Amino acid sequence: MDTFARFHNGAASDASACSHNDAVHAVELELVIERMSYGADAIAHTADGKTVFVSGGAVPRDTVRARLTDDGERFSRATLTGVLEPSPERITSPLPFVALTGAAPWGNMTYESQLREKKAGVVSALERIGHFSPKETSDLVRDIVAPGEPWGYRNKIELAFKRVGRKTLVGMYAPNGQDIVRIKDCPLLDKAHEKIVGAVSGALSYLSGSHELDIERIGIRTSRRTKDVEVALWTAPGGFPRAQVARVLEDATGATSIVRVMTKGSSKARRIAGVERLSGAGSWSELIGDERMRVSAPSFFQVNTKGAEKLVELVLSALDVRDSDEAMDLYCGAGTFTLPLARRVGFVSAVESYGPAVRDLRRNLEDAGWSNVDAIGGDAGRSFPDTDADVIVVDPPRAGLAPDVVKQLSEQSARAIAYVSCDPATLARDLRRFVDAGTFKPVSVTPVDLFPQTFHVENVVLMSRVER
């Protein structure tokens, strides 16, 4: 820390002989890690109170050495170079998977620490971004819920695919987000299927020896409950050795569905050009509570089935749904909340903008025999249902709710809204907007750990009408 102070006082004798950037990178700090950010970085402070974001695997209560990489006016960034005194919250021998890939950035922390840090992150976002007082957040935020096991909980993973000359790399991205690391199995995937990663990698490497495969990425979905396994190959449109790929992948994996998802457009604005069934059912199914859902490869489905069940349980319990209720379900996807709502209320207006998910929703409703749902394909703001709902569920993407949607929701006569969020920052922003609108107020915020070993956290918020 003395070195850091000397650097900022301009005492570096060779400053004239090297660039400012070189000088920054030469500085090493000794820091005590205080907490985690909403991300892979840990947070510490220098002796003079400046915030430092530390990358590279530091955990709370570590004493570390870190090399300064960026010295901004408001905060600095540094990379871990050594652990001087390990924290009791550090796992001394984490799985090799943690260091090799970027899929488990919190995998070197005890699970109890992960849960504590996630709840603290939700509280921090509500206070910093939502401008709720510490007293308000203390009253609002409930204990974090851990619905399943910390490993082997995922029903889906994605693999990267890259050709380097005549060589094919199939695996997961390294922590730097650029390099691809070959892995034989994935401990985040359901244990009954974790070996499928090696099988898919081997099959595609074999096929690449005789075919110039141009694959963007590979999606693998598995279900312990239905025994379904789907392999989805994401490619550009054009020629593709369909029969050979299907035969080799089916022999290697025993997949019940093999599909090709074709996409067009720039990397930032990809759109689905079509889905080809190469083998099997052409879709993947899962049992969630009382419902059976069939989902196509492009459609979103929670990667943690037990966690999704917990979300449904929390939402239905919070709303206290009744059979005479009319419900609204915005950003409904393939029907995770729509189907259980249809089972319990009189009528549901369900809105979803993504075409593949709308088709899956309508198929799932037909398979379940529910005729009390209006499945609306369109943007939640422009296709907002013209109805007086008693209860409302919103489960938007990471960007949260658009201001016009908050406005329209605030004009509803519903008795309660359940807001399911995957991003504490946009959630905090939106809750403040609801409070400012004056119709609904948050009553409870329940963090749910759907993504162990990562910094991500889901939240279920109950909002009730403001009594006037």
Side-chain angles (χ1 to χ4, degrees):
M1 293 209 282
D2 292 340
T3 304
F4 182 78
R6 287 198 300 273
F7 171 72
H8 277 275
N9 288 332
S13 60
D14 61 346
S16 60
C18 64
S19 69
H20 172 76
N21 193 53
D22 290 340
V24 166
H25 283 74
V27 175
E28 283 214 338
L29 318 175
E30 185 176 316
L31 301 166
V32 177
I33 303 300
E34 300 160 18
R35 60 187 176 89
M36 301 301 293
S37 68
Y38 185 69
D41 292 350
I43 296 176
H45 287 85
T46 63
D48 58 1
K50 191 173 187 180
T51 301
V52 183
F53 290 90
V54 182
S55 64
V59 307
R61 298 170 64 188
D62 271 345
T63 300
V64 304
R65 183 180 293 111
R67 180 174 295 109
L68 197 66
T69 58
D70 183 27
D71 186 34
E73 289 186 11
R74 295 187 301 111
F75 60 86
S76 299
R77 295 189 180 279
T79 299
L80 179 72
T81 57
V83 178
L84 302 177
E85 294 182 23
S87 164
E89 299 172 35
R90 171 177 286 278
I91 295 175
T92 54
S93 299
L95 295 175
F97 179 84
V98 174
L100 290 173
T101 77
W106 283 17
N108 59 352
M109 294 171 56
T110 65
Y111 190 49
E112 293 75 14
S113 300
Q114 293 181 35
L115 295 176
R116 186 196 66 242
E117 291 296 318
K118 290 184 182 187
K119 179 180 177 180
V122 173
V123 170
S124 175
L126 290 172
E127 293 178 358
R128 291 182 300 101
I129 301 168
H131 305 296
F132 292 91
S133 70
K135 171 66 166 60
E136 288 173 315
T137 57
S138 177
D139 292 340
L140 280 174
V141 182
R142 303 291 189 257
D143 289 339
I144 188 167
V145 175
E149 296 300 317
W151 292 97
Y153 64 87
R154 291 185 68 100
N155 57 46
K156 179 185 178 183
I157 62 165
E158 290 198 346
L159 300 177
F161 182 98
K162 185 177 182 181
R163 290 185 68 94
V164 182
R166 303 175 68 89
K167 187 178 180 182
T168 299
L169 289 176
V170 182
M172 301 186 82
Y173 282 108
N176 63 14
Q178 301 296 322
D179 299 327
I180 296 176
V181 180
R182 295 182 186 272
I183 58 171
K184 292 182 178 180
D185 51 48
C186 176
L188 292 172
L189 196 62
D190 174 71
K191 295 187 187 307
H193 299 99
E194 61 182 353
K195 299 297 183 184
I196 195 174
V197 174
V200 170
S201 299
L204 292 178
S205 296
Y206 168 77
L207 285 162
S208 295
S210 54
H211 301 281
E212 291 206 8
L213 299 179
D214 186 14
I215 297 174
E216 297 166 5
R217 57 191 168 101
I218 304 117
I220 301 174
R221 274 180 167 147
T222 68
S223 170
R224 180 186 291 267
R225 301 176 178 188
T226 66
K227 312 303 182 188
D228 277 9
V229 174
E230 180 172 79
V231 178
L233 307 177
W234 293 68
T235 77
F240 194 76
R242 299 170 181 81
Q244 298 97 315
V245 168
R247 184 179 67 253
V248 172
L249 276 175
E250 191 172 7
D251 287 346
T253 66
T256 58
S257 174
I258 300 172
V259 298
R260 177 192 181 200
V261 183
M262 293 170 288
T263 62
K264 288 183 177 180
S266 66
S267 59
K268 292 184 178 180
R270 282 279 195 237
R271 64 183 187 276
I272 304 299
V275 179
E276 290 183 338
R277 181 178 67 85
L278 303 183
S279 174
S283 60
W284 174 82
S285 69
E286 180 63 298
L287 294 172
I288 173 170
D290 296 324
E291 317 302 334
R292 185 184 185 102
M293 295 182 62
R294 186 162 289 282
V295 183
S296 61
S299 288
F300 171 79
F301 186 80
Q302 291 287 4
V303 301
N304 186 330
T305 300
K306 286 185 179 179
E309 286 180 332
K310 178 55 69 173
L311 295 181
V312 171
E313 176 188 322
L314 288 169
V315 165
L316 296 180
S317 174
L319 293 177
D320 187 24
V321 294
R322 306 157 193 172
D323 56 11
S324 59
D325 280 341
E326 182 168 336
M328 187 185 301
D329 186 7
L330 304 184
Y331 313 93
C332 66
T336 300
F337 296 105
T338 308
L339 290 168
L341 282 170
R343 183 181 293 273
R344 291 164 177 80
V345 304
F347 191 80
V348 184
S349 297
V351 183
E352 172 56 46
S353 63
Y354 189 49
V358 175
R359 291 189 286 274
D360 289 342
L361 170 66
R362 290 172 175 160
R363 178 176 57 188
N364 286 329
L365 290 169
E366 182 179 355
D367 290 347
W370 299 120
S371 58
N372 59 338
V373 177
D374 183 13
I376 303 166
D379 174 78
R382 291 190 294 270
S383 301
F384 199 94
D386 182 16
T387 183
D388 293 322
D390 299 291
V391 293
I392 300 173
V393 178
V394 293
D395 184 10
R398 195 168 300 281
L401 300 172
D404 67 312
V405 176
V406 173
K407 182 177 183 296
Q408 290 179 86
L409 286 168
S410 296
E411 294 169 350
Q412 294 299 297
S413 60
R415 68 173 183 269
I417 298 174
Y419 185 160
V420 182
S421 167
C422 61
D423 188 279
T426 56
L427 172 65
R429 178 203 66 196
D430 291 346
L431 293 185
R432 175 47 57 188
R433 288 174 175 171
F434 277 110
V435 170
D436 291 345
T439 309
F440 292 95
K441 64 178 181 181
V443 175
S444 65
V445 178
T446 304
V448 186
D449 188 24
L450 262 68
F451 316 100
Q453 317 309 327
T454 80
F455 54 86
H456 297 290
V457 62
E458 205 87 1
N459 287 281
V460 175
V461 181
L462 172 64
M463 293 190 289
S464 66
R465 292 191 69 79
V466 175
E467 297 297 332
R468 299 185 184 279

